């Protein structure tokens, strides 16, 4: 009996230790949380679209009927549509909250974007309670008007926050590219000093520099309009929806343009690396620095 | 025997605190299909073809652009 007790004690101890490790493993990193929220977003989006379809059909079929059963069905469909719409808004906010709270994005936004998102989440949770309690068409319509108004601001504010972070990342990339250009020049000089013809390699480097120069011009325009942040107060709240919409439209267009140029530059850089390897054939290696190592095959 | 009781209490406490099986993905309601999200998987370290690690930067920028386009198609009125 004593032996069995000891064995049981050992087993329970092992389970306890394992459970602690399981706890550590399940503590999610912000990146994992972001990924999970993205999955949840797709899920809530699907459910929202389904609820919307069912509500539209019910409204068409039962909108003019007066019997209690039909009215009850329409009420349930309306409630479901509203709840799913709130859920999707919430999952949208969760993703953007993760995005601004990611380790690498901390402190980029100079105001409390996370706090604003949290306040919006609380407001939406309160709205869900109101939907559950709503009984009349007027109740539902009042909530829906509130939700739509809120969504306009949420959409504008979260686009602004993402725009700020994206802008910062683009600027970071362009700074990094300065070092890449230096490395490219070093590679060309080294090969040239060994008597290797670097004409083609130089052309690849020039193309890269030209694309990056265009991206910088575009980026400067983006920086300028983000500096003005028309339609938004210094703490990131919408003050003029129309001006905010126009600012974000321009900002989005410019940022998309710059990202396109960055992609071209990245592709061009690969062409340069391939050409370098072809010429160097293991004879030349450029290493050190923070941006990478170039070595010939 | 006493130590056995203490350990059982500890395991129950760990369970209650959510240390065991606390995976968010499992909290989704049963019978629902979760669509794979459009998450960008990018190489963590620069590869041979990408010695400067620009693929990682480009993937991050792309993923942020995707987030900025998320929208909800609310009906005009109910």
């Amino acid at each position: 009996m004593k032996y069995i007790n000891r064995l049981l004690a050992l087993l329970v101890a092992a389970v306890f230790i394992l459970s602690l490790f399981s706890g550590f493993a399940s503590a999610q990193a912000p990146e994992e949380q972001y990924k999970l929220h993205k999955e949840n977003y797709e899920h809530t989006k699907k459910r929202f679209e389904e609820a919307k379809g069912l509500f539209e059909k019910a409204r068409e079929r039962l909108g003019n009927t007066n019997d209690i059963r039909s009215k009850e069905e329409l009420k349930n469909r309306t409630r479901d549509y509203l709840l799913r719409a709130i859920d999707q808004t919430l999952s949208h906010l969760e993703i953007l909250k993760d995005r601004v709270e990611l380790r690498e994005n901390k402190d980029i936004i100079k105001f409390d974007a996370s706090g604003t998102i949290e306040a919006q989440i609380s407001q939406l949770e309160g709205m869900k309670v109101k939907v559950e309690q709503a009984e009349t068409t007027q109740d539902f319509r009042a909530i829906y008007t509130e939700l739509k108004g809120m969504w306009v601001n949420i959409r504008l504010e979260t686009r602004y926050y993402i725009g700020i972070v994206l802008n910062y990342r683009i600027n970071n990339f362009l700074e990094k590219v300065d070092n890449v250009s230096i490395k490219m020049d070093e590679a060309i000089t080294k090969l040239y000093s060994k008597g290797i013809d670097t004409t083609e390699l130089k052309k690849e480097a020039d193309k890269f520099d030209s694309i990056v120069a265009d991206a910088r011009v575009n980026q400067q325009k983006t920086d300028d309009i983000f500096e003005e942040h028309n339609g938004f107060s210094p703490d990131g709240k919408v003050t003029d929806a129309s001006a905010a919409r126009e600012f974000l439209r321009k900002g989005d267009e410019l940022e998309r343009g710059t990202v396109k140029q960055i992609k071209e530059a990245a592709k061009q850089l690969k062409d340069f690396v391939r050409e370098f390897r072809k010429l160097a054939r293991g004879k030349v290696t450029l290493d050190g620095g923070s941006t990478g190592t170039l070595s010939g095959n | 025997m006493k130590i056995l009781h203490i350990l059982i209490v500890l395991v129950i406490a760990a369970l209650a605190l959510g240390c065991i099986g606390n995976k968010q993905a499992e909290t989704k309601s049963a019978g629902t299909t979760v669509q794979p999200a459009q998450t960008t998987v990018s190489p963590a370290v620069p590869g041979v073809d990408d010695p400067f690690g620009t693929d990682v930067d480009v993937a991050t920028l792309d993923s942020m652009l995707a987030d900025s386009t998320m929208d909800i198609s609310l009906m005009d009125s109910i």
Side-chain angles (χ1 to χ4, degrees):
Chain A
M1 190 63 189
K2 203 176 168 185
Y3 177 74
I4 290 169
N5 276 346
R6 201 171 284 174
L7 196 69
L8 266 172
L10 272 171
L11 267 171
V12 176
V15 170
F16 175 64
I17 291 163
L18 282 173
S19 74
L20 287 178
F21 278 107
S22 154
F24 290 131
S26 66
Q28 284 152 2
E31 289 75 10
E32 281 173 29
Q33 196 167 305
Y34 170 76
K35 208 173 157 190
L36 276 172
H37 282 148
K38 280 288 260 191
E39 282 174 7
N40 191 42
Y41 177 81
E42 296 301 322
H43 173 66
T44 53
K45 190 178 174 185
K46 196 175 162 227
R47 292 187 74 187
F48 165 70
E49 293 298 342
E50 280 168 5
K52 185 181 165 187
L54 288 170
F55 168 65
E56 277 175 326
K57 276 183 195 157
R59 194 169 62 166
E60 209 177 296
R61 189 166 49 91
L62 310 167
N64 294 321
T65 53
N66 273 322
D67 64 291
I68 296 168
R69 216 173 134 185
S70 301
K71 279 185 173 176
E72 198 58 32
E73 190 184 336
L74 188 56
K75 193 162 79 181
N76 288 336
R77 292 287 177 219
T78 312
R79 196 189 312 278
D80 202 39
Y81 168 65
L82 275 168
L83 289 173
R84 299 292 159 236
I86 296 172
D87 279 344
Q88 211 206 323
T89 314
L90 281 167
S91 65
H92 175 98
L93 284 171
E94 293 287 1
I95 289 174
L96 296 166
K97 188 168 176 283
D98 290 341
R99 182 62 90 181
V100 298
E101 287 177 355
L102 281 177
R103 251 192 311 267
E104 68 267 24
N105 296 339
K106 282 242 174 202
D107 304 323
I108 294 176
I109 301 177
K110 300 297 173 206
F111 47 84
D112 187 15
S114 200
T116 304
I117 295 175
E118 263 169 37
Q120 287 163 336
I121 289 174
S122 302
Q123 205 179 330
L124 286 165
E125 294 290 359
M127 206 180 274
K128 275 177 94 170
V129 177
K130 281 197 236 171
V131 175
E132 295 286 4
Q133 290 166 349
E135 282 300 326
T136 65
T137 310
Q138 285 74 20
D139 291 343
F140 287 120
R141 282 190 180 146
I143 298 167
Y144 196 58
T145 306
E146 189 186 344
L147 175 66
K148 283 197 80 181
M150 210 182 150
W151 171 243
V152 170
N153 279 2
I154 288 175
R155 176 96 176 98
L156 291 171
E157 284 165 6
T158 49
R159 273 174 73 198
Y160 178 40
Y161 306 160
I162 290 286
I164 294 173
V165 179
L166 184 59
N167 213 27
Y168 179 88
R169 295 264 150 248
I170 292 173
N171 278 320
N172 256 11
F173 181 88
L174 292 173
E175 266 175 42
K176 177 177 171 176
V177 156
D178 279 338
N179 294 328
V180 174
S181 286
I182 293 167
K183 287 266 180 232
M184 288 165 103
D185 289 342
E186 280 177 24
I188 292 167
T189 311
K190 274 204 173 185
L191 288 175
Y192 187 75
S193 67
K194 287 192 179 288
I196 297 169
D197 181 8
T198 56
T199 317
E200 287 306 311
L201 194 61
K202 183 96 181 48
K203 277 184 194 165
E204 299 290 0
D206 287 345
K207 273 191 217 167
F208 175 80
D209 288 340
S210 161
I211 298 167
V212 171
D214 288 345
R216 280 188 208 286
V217 172
N218 216 35
Q219 184 55 17
Q220 186 54 55
K221 290 179 195 163
T222 320
D223 281 341
D224 291 345
I225 66 163
F226 269 83
E227 192 67 41
E228 287 174 18
H229 54 78
N230 279 343
F232 289 95
S233 64
D235 64 347
K237 304 262 175 64
V238 175
T239 51
D240 177 345
S242 171
R245 205 170 285 120
E246 183 53 20
F247 151 54
L248 291 172
R249 190 195 60 76
K250 273 189 204 159
D252 186 65
E253 197 181 297
L254 286 165
E255 285 183 330
R256 276 175 197 280
T258 315
V259 170
K260 199 176 162 201
Q261 285 162 326
I262 283 175
K263 280 183 182 174
E264 272 178 50
K267 191 176 163 286
Q268 185 55 37
L269 182 58
K270 283 185 180 173
D271 289 347
F272 175 90
V273 171
R274 258 192 300 274
E275 184 65 22
F276 170 81
R277 292 219 163 100
K278 208 166 74 186
L279 295 173
R281 274 178 267 153
K283 290 176 199 155
V284 178
T285 303
L286 274 178
D287 51 18
S290 59
T291 52
T293 301
L294 263 184
S295 56
N297 288 329
Chain B
M1 202 59 189
K2 206 174 180 181
I3 196 159
L4 183 67
H5 286 147
I6 293 167
L7 286 168
I8 289 170
V9 169
L10 284 172
V11 170
I12 291 167
L15 198 71
L17 287 169
C19 290
I20 305 173
N22 184 25
K23 285 180 185 159
Q24 218 170 316
E26 288 164 12
T27 60
K28 289 200 176 84
S29 55
T32 52
T33 314
V34 177
Q35 296 295 313
Q38 293 175 325
T39 43
T40 316
V41 179
S42 34
V45 288
V48 180
D49 292 332
D50 181 31
F52 298 103
T54 49
D55 282 352
V56 183
D57 299 314
V58 168
T60 305
L61 296 175
D62 257 345
S63 149
M64 287 173 76
L65 277 179
D67 281 357
S68 73
T69 55
M70 289 192 303
D71 204 352
I72 302 173
S73 55
L74 290 173
M75 293 163 68
D76 289 337
S77 59
I78 58 167

